[in-house]
Amino acid sequence: MAVSKCTRLSGPLIQELLDSVDNFLFDCDGVIWRGEQAIPGAPEVTNLLKKNGKRVFFVTNNSTKTREMYAEKMAKLGFLAKTEEVFGTAYCSAVYLKHIAKLDGKVYLIGGNALIKELQKLGIQTVGSGPDPVFGGQSDWANVPLDPEVKAVVVGFDEHFSYMKLSKALKYLDNPDCLFVGTNTDSRLPLEGGRAVPGTGCLVRAVETAAQRKAQIIGKPSHFMFDCVVSEYGIDPARTVMVGDRLDTDILLGSNCGLKTLLTLTGVCHLDEAIAHQESHCAERTGMVPDYYVETIADLLPALQG
């Protein structure tokens, strides 16, 4: 398929792409749903892909849901998805700590219940979740008691993030043998109407700054997110397409891992951003240029129904 980058996927080109791949990786929010509503046609697309013999996986940087929670949401919205087809950063962080880092100890967790559950499933205990308000003064903050069994600090989305949690993370990470993991670096979580709230990346960067250390990032565009899928399903990168709405996470992941990439314009990024990256001729930006784009993944329906 010798086509230029950032090509509109339409007509016969859709069938060419379908014939060239066996596996589809879909981001979730902004791609197959917005909030609690499925994007029109999205369930039909993913379900028909499966019916036509394609393998479909869902990869998301959101650490606030377990695999089971995602599968339940998908079922309610009409997607035929199995729990084991979902790869979120809560699950992948647990896999990294258990099977790659071989963690032997507890996790000091800046994160929520989904991370606790995914870590517990793999036998990893956590401390630190929930509200942790500031008390005392600087001397108290610098001498907070630590759990000697903690061997890793994990930072995910945490609405209870506080100065006290930041102080404790710094203390644990003063030990160079303490692992430091961040679920993802998304700086903003977009909402309807152009609004946004701070994302997990803000919390990860705060801890990195305080600890003067860099976290091992699990989520997109980190290669590890794709490695998780490969380790369980043995998929061929050359026969895989990443479908997403964010250039700096979804599309860059695909570029980093040698996948075909498809940008859908139902989410965060706009076509002019992709074109600007393409026209910059900057090596650091070319990885954020998709191979193809569609207005919505429902554009694939005619080829799948034909």
Side-chain angles (χ1 to χ4, degrees):
M1 296 178 65
V3 297
S4 61
K5 298 273 280 185
C6 211
T7 299
R8 178 161 192 152
L9 191 65
S10 61
L13 201 56
I14 297 178
Q15 192 59 54
E16 287 183 40
L17 176 64
L18 291 173
D19 292 342
S20 73
V21 297
D22 304 313
N23 316 292
F24 279 76
L25 305 185
F26 286 94
D27 179 43
C28 295
D29 197 27
V31 177
I32 62 171
W33 64 56
R34 286 196 204 92
E36 299 304 314
Q37 299 293 321
I39 287 175
E44 291 82 358
V45 167
T46 61
N47 296 345
L48 281 170
L49 283 169
K50 288 187 174 186
K51 185 178 179 181
N52 291 346
K54 307 300 183 183
R55 290 193 290 186
V56 175
F57 305 97
F58 304 93
V59 291
T60 172
N61 276 359
N62 191 325
S63 67
T64 65
K65 289 183 173 64
T66 63
R67 299 178 103 184
E68 290 79 9
M69 292 165 69
Y70 269 110
E72 289 172 10
K73 178 174 180 176
M74 288 173 182
K76 289 178 182 177
L77 296 179
F79 297 92
L80 302 177
K82 299 176 182 177
T83 299
E84 56 268 26
E85 293 168 340
V86 180
F87 291 82
T89 51
Y91 169 73
C92 292
S93 295
V95 169
Y96 175 82
L97 289 169
K98 182 71 173 182
H99 299 300
I100 306 301
K102 309 291 186 184
L103 178 69
D104 182 20
K106 296 179 183 178
V107 164
Y108 177 68
L109 178 64
I110 296 176
N113 289 331
L115 271 163
I116 295 173
K117 290 176 181 177
E118 295 289 15
L119 290 165
Q120 286 179 340
K121 281 183 213 169
L122 294 186
I124 300 172
Q125 297 182 53
T126 66
V127 297
S129 61
D132 192 359
V134 170
F135 66 89
Q138 291 181 352
S139 179
D140 301 297
W141 308 335
N143 292 286
V144 289
L146 302 181
D147 186 328
E149 296 183 45
V150 167
K151 304 298 181 184
V153 170
V154 175
V155 183
F157 184 79
D158 188 346
E159 66 267 37
H160 299 297
F161 187 72
S162 67
Y163 190 84
M164 187 56 68
K165 291 191 177 191
L166 186 60
S167 296
K168 289 180 180 178
L170 183 159
K171 292 288 290 180
Y172 282 119
L173 292 170
D174 274 345
N175 176 0
D177 295 325
C178 184
L179 298 169
F180 182 16
V181 171
T183 59
N184 64 287
T185 56
D186 297 34
S187 59
R188 292 159 65 93
L189 302 178
L191 305 175
E192 293 291 343
R195 298 172 299 153
V197 294
T200 302
C202 299
L203 313 188
V204 173
R205 295 299 182 231
V207 177
E208 286 183 333
T209 301
Q212 297 181 350
R213 290 178 55 178
K214 287 292 183 182
Q216 170 67 48
I217 302 301
I218 300 300
K220 301 171 290 184
S222 168
H223 208 292
F224 185 74
M225 200 80 173
F226 182 64
D227 291 343
C228 276
V229 185
V230 173
S231 68
E232 295 185 27
Y233 290 94
I235 65 177
D236 179 2
R239 301 280 302 176
T240 303
V241 59
M242 176 71 219
V243 186
D245 68 315
R246 295 185 75 128
L247 300 173
D248 60 345
T249 56
D250 305 319
I251 303 307
L252 188 55
L253 171 77
S255 298
N256 288 344
C257 298
L259 319 180
K260 296 176 177 65
T261 53
L262 173 60
L263 173 70
T264 176
L265 302 177
T266 48
V268 172
C269 290
H270 304 286
L271 181 59
D272 57 358
E273 296 174 66
I275 293 172
H277 288 314
Q278 186 176 35
E279 294 179 346
S280 73
H281 303 296
C282 171
E284 293 182 359
R285 297 175 64 180
T286 54
M288 292 186 280
V289 180
D291 294 316
Y292 310 99
Y293 74 91
V294 288
E295 293 294 331
T296 165
I297 63 168
D299 291 353
L300 303 182
L301 270 178
L304 292 168
Q305 293 170 332

